[in-house]
Amino acid sequence: MDRAKLIISVHFGELWLKGKNRGDFVARLEENIRAAVPKGSFKEINTLRDRIIIVPNTRYENRIKDALGYVFGISWYGTAYIVDNDIGRILSFLEGLSKSDKLNGRTVRIETHRSNKRSPLESRYLVGEILKIKDRLGFLMDSHSNDVIMINPTENGTFIYIEKLRGRGGLPVGSSGKGVVLLSGGIDSPVAAYYAMKRGITPVYVHIHAFRENDTSKSAKITSIVHILDRYSNGSAVYMFPSYIFESSIKREHSRHEMLLFKRFMFDIADMVADREGATAVITGESIAQVASQTLENLHSSSSGARHIILRPLSGFDKAEIIDIARGIGTYETSIIEYRDVCSFHAVNPSTRSIRSVVDRMYNETSIREAAIRTMDKGIRMDSHAPASKRTPKILKLSTQ
Ligand code: ATP
Ligand code: MG
């Protein structure tokens, strides 16, 4: 078998659409790939016109591919070999490779794609030549097989792909700026964070807890969820705040609206964190009418006054669908661990059709805004890292009080 260079080739589909910004998107994707793959796993990573090429170190090929499965912005990827643009070379390499572990015994569909239209290695010609040597090949050919080999002549040589693995899609994290994700520790908000990241948003997590101190061991469930989500973003910032100042401002007569007032409080905190972090959006795990506090009226009156754009990626999802996705992305098992939530908010008869002006009045009467401003001083900010990282998180007190 001719020696050819083994590489992993990454393709980026939707990024093609981005016109002038395309260069930035691709540079961001390359950066995210470098951060996602294990340290020391590659010899080089290069961006070509329409793909990113990774030259793996020996024994790292599969670990790199596993890592790429978590990177947003990739439409497909796979192991490939680069040979000269020469039909003799292509055929002899394919014959040798077909008898190796990588291809022997497989039943494959041969796809051809000529990136360089001036190349004489036109698709029908290539397939015809391969068919001529089919009795010498270690694999079978079947045009209905889902197992694909792709022969792709380009100006940089002919790429022989031995697979096409589906990427996670979306846009590279960071390409859409930052968003504050309100993370509750329930099932929904981690899924919302996932969808925000999928569209290129770098998450800054904000959690409001029921403890007096910012005790990270008591909120370990939240940091565990963030660690799982960090697989998709290579780290994030996490803010934690106590809820007691809010709780002490609420009176019995507000109980039917307590959850809505809590949300107003959360959005005030989220706005302040967004200012601090230069974030554009605030993301929640709300879904229309999933519970009393999420009727359209309540979504409206609980977020009125918020200064940043509020994104609710799960608006149109059923709970059962959200649970399936939470399982798929790896957060479900941690989300269902018992955890002491903020207040109980078990109003016997929660308002389902709140009137915005009424909630506005209560918000002012209870001085929620002041409670949020005072709570800002009680928070901490942590740097979180993907689980592979050994670095210890940096914890920063937002004030010395
Ligand atoms: P989840 O499954 O995400 O907890 P939920 O169905 O329990 O959502 P709510 O309790 O109404 O719904 O919360 C709606 C959203 O408000 C959450 O998805 C989350 O974005 C945010 N949220 C709720 N509680 C907190 C909290 N303690 N800290 C930060 N954000 C929160
Ligand atoms: Mg919840």
Side-chain angles (χ1 to χ4, degrees), residues 256-257 260 292 295 297-298 301 350-356:
R256 286 193 67 211
H257 293 88
L260 303 183
T295 60
E297 290 88 341
N298 285 352
S301 48
S351 160
T352 51
R353 303 210 148 192
S354 63
I355 296 164
R356 183 180 156 178

Coordinates of all heavy atoms in Angstrom, one line a residue, residues 256-257 260 292 295 297-298 301 350-356:
R256 N -49.7 34.3 46.1 CA -50.1 33.8 44.8 C -49.2 34.2 43.7 O -49.2 33.7 42.6 CB -51.6 34.3 44.5 CG -52.6 33.6 45.4 CD -54.0 33.9 44.8 NE -54.2 33.3 43.5 CZ -55.0 33.8 42.6 NH1 -55.6 34.9 42.8 NH2 -55.1 33.2 41.4
H257 N -48.4 35.3 44.0 CA -47.6 35.8 42.9 C -46.1 35.6 43.2 O -45.2 36.2 42.6 CB -47.9 37.3 42.7 CG -49.2 37.5 42.1 ND1 -50.3 37.7 42.9 CD2 -49.6 37.6 40.8 CE1 -51.4 37.9 42.1 NE2 -51.0 37.8 40.8
L260 N -43.8 34.5 40.5 CA -43.5 35.6 39.4 C -42.6 36.6 40.0 O -41.7 37.1 39.2 CB -44.9 36.2 39.0 CG -45.9 35.2 38.5 CD1 -47.2 35.9 38.1 CD2 -45.4 34.4 37.3
A292 N -47.9 26.5 36.0 CA -48.7 27.7 36.2 C -47.9 29.0 35.9 O -48.4 29.9 35.3 CB -49.2 27.8 37.6
T295 N -47.6 30.2 31.9 CA -48.6 30.6 30.9 C -48.1 31.8 30.2 O -47.2 32.5 30.7 CB -49.9 31.0 31.6 OG1 -49.7 32.1 32.5 CG2 -50.5 29.8 32.4
E297 N -49.4 34.7 29.8 CA -49.6 35.9 30.7 C -48.5 36.0 31.7 O -47.9 37.1 32.0 CB -50.9 35.9 31.4 CG -52.1 36.0 30.5 CD -52.6 34.7 30.0 OE1 -51.9 33.7 30.0 OE2 -53.8 34.7 29.5
N298 N -48.1 34.8 32.3 CA -47.1 34.8 33.4 C -45.7 35.0 32.8 O -44.9 35.7 33.5 CB -47.3 33.6 34.2 CG -48.5 33.7 35.2 OD1 -49.1 34.7 35.2 ND2 -48.8 32.6 35.9
S301 N -45.6 38.8 32.4 CA -45.6 39.7 33.6 C -44.3 39.4 34.5 O -43.9 40.2 35.3 CB -46.8 39.7 34.4 OG -47.3 38.4 34.6
P350 N -51.8 29.2 42.8 CA -50.9 30.2 42.1 C -51.7 30.9 41.0 O -52.5 30.3 40.3 CB -49.8 29.4 41.6 CG -50.3 28.0 41.5 CD -51.3 27.8 42.5
S351 N -51.4 32.1 40.8 CA -52.1 32.9 39.7 C -51.6 32.3 38.4 O -50.4 32.2 38.2 CB -51.7 34.3 39.9 OG -51.9 35.0 38.7
T352 N -52.5 32.0 37.5 CA -52.1 31.5 36.2 C -52.3 32.6 35.1 O -51.7 32.5 34.0 CB -52.9 30.3 35.7 OG1 -54.3 30.6 35.9 CG2 -52.6 29.0 36.5
R353 N -53.1 33.6 35.4 CA -53.3 34.6 34.4 C -53.0 36.0 35.1 O -53.9 36.8 35.3 CB -54.8 34.6 34.0 CG -55.2 33.3 33.4 CD -56.2 33.4 32.4 NE -56.0 32.4 31.4 CZ -56.5 32.3 30.2 NH1 -57.4 33.3 29.9 NH2 -56.3 31.3 29.4
S354 N -51.8 36.2 35.4 CA -51.5 37.4 36.1 C -51.6 38.6 35.2 O -51.6 38.5 34.0 CB -50.0 37.3 36.6 OG -49.2 37.3 35.5
I355 N -51.8 39.7 35.8 CA -51.9 41.0 35.1 C -50.6 41.7 35.3 O -50.2 41.9 36.4 CB -53.2 41.7 35.5 CG1 -54.4 40.9 35.2 CG2 -53.2 43.1 34.9 CD1 -55.6 41.3 35.9
R356 N -50.1 42.1 34.2 CA -48.7 42.7 34.3 C -48.7 43.9 35.2 O -47.8 44.0 36.0 CB -48.3 43.1 32.9 CG -46.9 43.6 32.9 CD -46.5 44.0 31.5 NE -45.4 45.0 31.6 CZ -44.8 45.5 30.6 NH1 -45.1 45.1 29.4 NH2 -43.9 46.4 30.8

